[in-house]
Amino acid sequence: MPRLIYFLTVFILMTGCKTTLQSNWKNFNAYYNTFYNAKKSYDAGLKKNLGQARDYNPLQPIRIHPKPVNAGAQDFDKAIEKAADVLRKYDDTKWVDDALELIGKSYYFKQEYFSANQKFKELFATTQNPEFEQQAIVWQARVLLDMELFNEGTSFITEQLTLFEEQWEQANIAEIKVLLAQHYVQQGSWELARMQLSEALPHLSKKEYKERGYFLLGQVYERLEDISAAYDAYDKVQDHYVEYRLQYLAKRKKAEVARDLDRHDVAFSIFSEMVRDDKNIEYKAELDFELAQTEQRRGNFARAENIYKNLLRNQLNRPSPEIAARTYYGLADIYRFEYDNFSMAAAYYDSAAQKNVSADKLPEGFAASELAESFGEYSRLKSEIALKDSLLWLGQLSPEKFDSVVVELRAQKAAELERLKRQSESQQNTVVNVDQESEEADAISLRNGFLNSDNPVLQQNAKMQFLAYWGDRPLADNWRVSSMIRVSRSDSDDENGGDGDFLPSEEDSDLLMVELDLSGIPFTKNAQDSVRKYIAAHQYQLGNLFFLSLDIPDSAAYYFKKAVENPSQQNVNVVSLYSLSELYSIEENDLESRKYADELINKYPASDYARRVSEKFDIELRVMDESASIDPMQVYNLIMAQDSISASEKAEKLKSFSKNYSDHKTAPKAQYDAIRLYMEVGKQDSLYEEKVDSWIKENEKWEEQQETFQVQKDTAQAMLQDTTLTEAERAELTAMADSSLIHPDFTLIFPYTGEKWDSARSAIDVYLETFQNTKYSKSVSKLQEELKLSGEKISGMDKAEEPELEADTISGYTSCNELEAELEVRGGMDQFIASLNLPEQSASSEVTYGFLVNQRGIIDEYTLITELIPAEITDEFEAAFESALSFEPVLHEGQAIAVQCELAFPLEN
């Protein structure tokens, strides 16, 4: 009976709890048979992913939620597979939500963001658990952040906060808000990011999130220029210690912002303490850099320079490329701003630019390449001015004083040569012993090739011994002798059989004669005037460099004034006065700006620049006399349009025009046209083609003779090594080896002879003397070399390469073709054409002009390119160019530059 009652009781209990037991049993199976393994695989993958070393760039906003890396993919695949089994086999258990979330997270850490986002959306739609709903939203926000969908991310999070904020757990709402802040950071919305971070950071549940969060908050405050708040934010990072690298960076940033607050002693104290910390040995280079920066900021420039240089020389703790680049940049700033040594600044900026460093690892405004180029150009211009100024000074000395200076220079050069000689002798007397034991060991080996030539150890040792003995000497003859100095024996030495160049010994020192190259000294008044104009032109270029590239207006004004005060070409005076007026106008100094505008108008009323400033200041241009009213452009166009005269006559007219209007912008073009016409006439000579053919053939024949003769000499030299030769045979071979060919006289077949070729050469000389550094200077110089009367072969020229003037980009202007850019008419092409009074019909559909345009979009010069355009059309266009046309500035790498471009204008309204 009791057993029956027991079984009945068990039966009743089992019957009543059947549903609960089945549910618990399914949950048990789902967890231990499937989800447990999925979670185990996910945890293994997560550990690998988060365990990867991560670096932080303190110059860029860091991530509070670290971005996934390529690690743990196989574990995440297993987790996805096992969790999917839960959904397939146990879809009515309580682990469905966990499985969906696990699959989404696994996809996320595999960086398959689209699949992850789909799973989190599915979780949000199917779960009944508020915690899973909130986590689904958090993870969707993380996915959008990594997909860089920042606008969509901010909209999504804002919407979810509006709908569910009151229902959220405090830790979840804090996390979603810091995710919203990170979206704002990526959009540059610093104030919105600050609001979200300040509100959410104290309530975050994870310590590592707080550590990174306060660091990010400090970076946001820096962007908002609230340096004091940034200091406090960085200071709070130490309260949430998880990762030493971040703690180190936070402390470093705290010192940096202290420096920005002019609390230099605090900054120096923090950096010094960090240097002494053994945990920071690997960071010593960058901490030394920060110490140098601190010294520089508080005015200890010599101390800062010393730290910078020691940092670069340190072989034990070599700086990273970015620290080396910033170190060179710091040195450049010291030499630029404190020492006013722009040449050294250029060298250091160039060293900084040579470091291959990603831009995101360098501070904003790190412009080493641009500054190196600008200051390098400054150094070049200053050197050329200094050289010309020295030559000008020498040319103006009295004969007695000049001789005294030359004697002194020779003595200085002789002393320098003597010093080099003693240095060489000292090196020769030095015993060098490099790795002797290794050398002896290798010497007894017979497996290193002939004379051990294949032994890399001995090769390196030999190289080191050579350097120790000779120093870093160039591999060239006469390596101690400067290119401008030649040392020769005295006349008495030559009479006794001296053979030329030598390095004197001490007993020969009284015979030392140092010859200086004096060819560049201007002794005549015309030559001196030319040098003065050259200096003035370079002073204007320096002013332009300081004005447009370096943004140093005081120095720009100084050099513009020097260019105006010194004798110079008219165009240099004009642009210098205009630049001074513009410079003072930008500085809102209307009195000085108007002063130079008045001077420009009074001295050069016919210039385009005078017309511009007269319109700007509403100054009336003075009435010009009848002769001055002649438009040089019209005269030039009239000459070019005369088809009834011969080419020689037209060339003569163009030469006269270029001489009479030498200060006009068309003068170089006219002289260039004259050269071209003389050459065309010279080519019409009936014997020209025959002379060119003969010239080429004779030069080819001469080359063949030289090659054959050299082979014979080399053969004779080789045969002289034979010890069995008789005296007669040896004498004959020696004579052959020492013989030389006499260069034939090609003067009679030189093709560029005759009256017109002489006229072309004369016109070339005038061009190069009168129009230096203009559009065609480079090609005219090449032509001068090709046409000079000489018996030498014209280098590299054959019949297909007759001398032509090449279209050359003018110095200081960049070609639009090179930039792949086009000029854009300010106000639009249609509006400009509509303002013209053009004829209703024209034989041409468009007219093309070439322009030189400065950085501000203002026309410096223009040239008609299209031929056979009626004067009534060109006059209308060119009048509009002078009064109404300007262009949008052409930008290259973020800066406006001067350009040389062509532009076609349609001939219809």
Side-chain angles (χ1 to χ4, degrees), residues 58-252:
L59 298 176
Q60 301 295 326
I62 71 167
R63 285 276 298 270
I64 298 175
H65 295 79
K67 193 170 186 176
V69 296
N70 294 322
Q74 293 182 348
D75 295 304
F76 290 127
D77 285 334
K78 292 178 181 178
I80 292 170
E81 181 182 351
K82 293 295 183 182
D85 285 342
V86 173
L87 300 180
R88 286 192 296 268
K89 300 177 181 178
Y90 306 101
D91 59 346
D92 57 347
T93 66
K94 71 174 186 178
W95 300 106
V96 170
D97 291 344
D98 298 83
L100 278 173
E101 184 183 56
L102 194 67
I103 292 173
K105 291 179 179 179
S106 297
Y107 277 129
Y108 171 80
F109 285 107
K110 285 185 65 184
Q111 302 178 53
E112 296 179 14
Y113 299 124
F114 180 79
S115 299
N117 201 37
Q118 292 299 110
K119 286 301 175 183
F120 293 132
K121 285 182 178 180
E122 183 181 345
L123 174 62
F124 180 80
T126 59
T127 187
Q128 301 298 317
N129 187 327
E131 176 63 23
F132 280 112
E133 286 183 345
Q134 294 167 27
Q135 283 298 309
I137 292 172
V138 168
W139 281 94
Q140 284 184 73
R142 288 187 67 169
V143 168
L144 293 172
L145 182 64
D146 286 299
M147 293 176 73
E148 299 183 359
L149 300 174
F150 308 124
N151 290 329
E152 185 177 336
T154 53
S155 299
F156 169 75
I157 297 172
T158 303
E159 179 183 359
Q160 298 302 320
L161 285 173
T162 302
L163 293 174
F164 303 109
E165 183 172 1
E166 296 180 357
Q167 306 170 21
W168 281 53
E169 295 290 335
Q170 189 178 53
N172 288 337
I173 199 169
E175 187 170 1
I176 196 67
K177 284 185 176 181
V178 297
L179 280 163
L180 177 59
Q182 290 174 90
H183 281 278
Y184 283 139
V185 164
Q186 296 300 324
Q187 293 173 306
S189 301
W190 305 112
E191 180 57 29
L192 293 173
R194 181 202 64 78
M195 292 170 58
Q196 297 297 329
L197 286 171
S198 299
E199 182 180 345
L201 284 176
H203 307 294
L204 284 174
S205 59
K206 294 185 178 181
K207 195 174 181 180
E208 61 267 29
Y209 285 178
K210 287 186 177 182
E211 182 183 41
R212 292 191 285 264
Y214 279 110
F215 192 95
L216 177 60
L217 181 60
Q219 292 178 307
V220 170
Y221 274 124
E222 282 194 88
R223 267 61 174 190
L224 292 170
E225 298 183 357
D226 190 346
I227 308 302
S228 181
Y231 182 90
D232 293 337
Y234 288 128
D235 189 51
K236 288 181 181 178
V237 174
Q238 64 182 333
D239 298 334
H240 310 283
Y241 191 130
V242 174
E243 189 176 354
Y244 180 74
R245 171 64 176 167
L246 204 60
Q247 291 292 321
Y248 161 80
L249 290 175
K251 198 169 185 179
R252 200 182 88 185

Side-chain angles (χ1 to χ4, degrees), residues 605-622:
S607 66
D608 297 338
Y609 295 98
R611 186 175 295 108
R612 292 175 195 169
V613 296
S614 70
E615 294 173 356
K616 178 178 180 179
F617 291 101
D618 195 22
I619 303 173
E620 184 177 356
L621 289 172
R622 64 182 173 87

Side-chain angles (χ1 to χ4, degrees), residues 448-459:
N448 292 320
F450 180 66
L451 295 180
N452 294 304
S453 60
D454 296 332
N455 188 327
V457 175
L458 288 182
Q459 290 174 354

Side-chain angles (χ1 to χ4, degrees), residues 763-774:
I764 288 171
D765 293 339
V766 171
Y767 185 102
L768 294 176
E769 181 178 348
T770 309
F771 306 112
Q772 298 178 4
N773 299 321
T774 53

Side-chain angles (χ1 to χ4, degrees), residues 369-386:
S369 297
E370 296 82 353
L371 290 171
E373 182 177 353
S374 297
F375 281 103
E377 179 68 3
Y378 164 84
S379 298
R380 183 189 68 81
L381 292 171
K382 283 287 288 184
S383 297
E384 292 185 13
I385 290 174

Side-chain angles (χ1 to χ4, degrees), residues 676-715:
R676 179 175 56 81
L677 288 170
Y678 282 131
M679 289 171 54
E680 289 178 359
V681 175
K683 291 178 183 179
Q684 293 171 3
D685 187 332
S686 59
L687 298 178
Y688 172 73
E689 293 291 338
E690 182 179 341
K691 284 184 177 181
V692 170
D693 288 340
S694 298
W695 173 263
I696 295 171
K697 290 176 181 177
E698 290 300 322
N699 274 287
E700 289 176 349
K701 186 186 298 182
W702 167 239
E703 284 187 350
E704 292 176 359
Q705 290 176 357
Q706 286 180 297
E707 292 174 359
T708 302
F709 183 72
Q710 187 61 45
V711 171
Q712 293 173 348
K713 288 185 64 176
D714 292 343
T715 303

Side-chain angles (χ1 to χ4, degrees), residues 766-877:
V766 171
Y767 185 102
L768 294 176
E769 181 178 348
T770 309
F771 306 112
Q772 298 178 4
N773 299 321
T774 53
K775 180 175 182 179
Y776 306 102
S777 296
K778 184 177 179 181
S779 52
V780 172
S781 296
K782 292 180 181 178
L783 190 61
Q784 183 187 48
E785 182 67 21
E786 295 291 354
L787 297 187
K788 69 179 180 181
L789 292 171
S790 171
E792 299 292 331
K793 178 187 173 183
I794 300 176
S795 58
M797 195 187 79
D798 55 27
K799 188 173 181 179
E801 295 177 336
E802 295 176 4
E804 296 289 348
L805 288 174
E806 302 174 359
D808 191 25
T809 302
I810 298 179
S811 175
Y813 296 86
T814 305
S815 168
C816 280
N817 292 333
E818 180 183 337
L819 296 173
E820 297 183 355
E822 295 181 355
L823 288 176
E824 296 183 11
V825 176
R826 191 170 295 173
M829 176 68 82
D830 294 340
Q831 181 178 341
F832 174 72
I833 296 297
S835 68
L836 303 178
N837 184 21
L838 298 175
E840 295 183 358
Q841 294 184 343
S842 174
S844 301
S845 61
E846 63 181 21
V847 58
T848 301
Y849 278 86
F851 292 97
L852 299 181
V853 181
N854 68 19
Q855 289 88 339
R856 298 182 290 277
I858 305 300
I859 300 172
D860 287 340
E861 186 176 328
Y862 59 84
T863 305
L864 177 65
I865 295 176
T866 308
E867 298 180 353
L868 303 178
I869 299 296
E872 58 186 2
I873 294 179
T874 58
D875 290 346
E876 182 70 18
F877 270 100

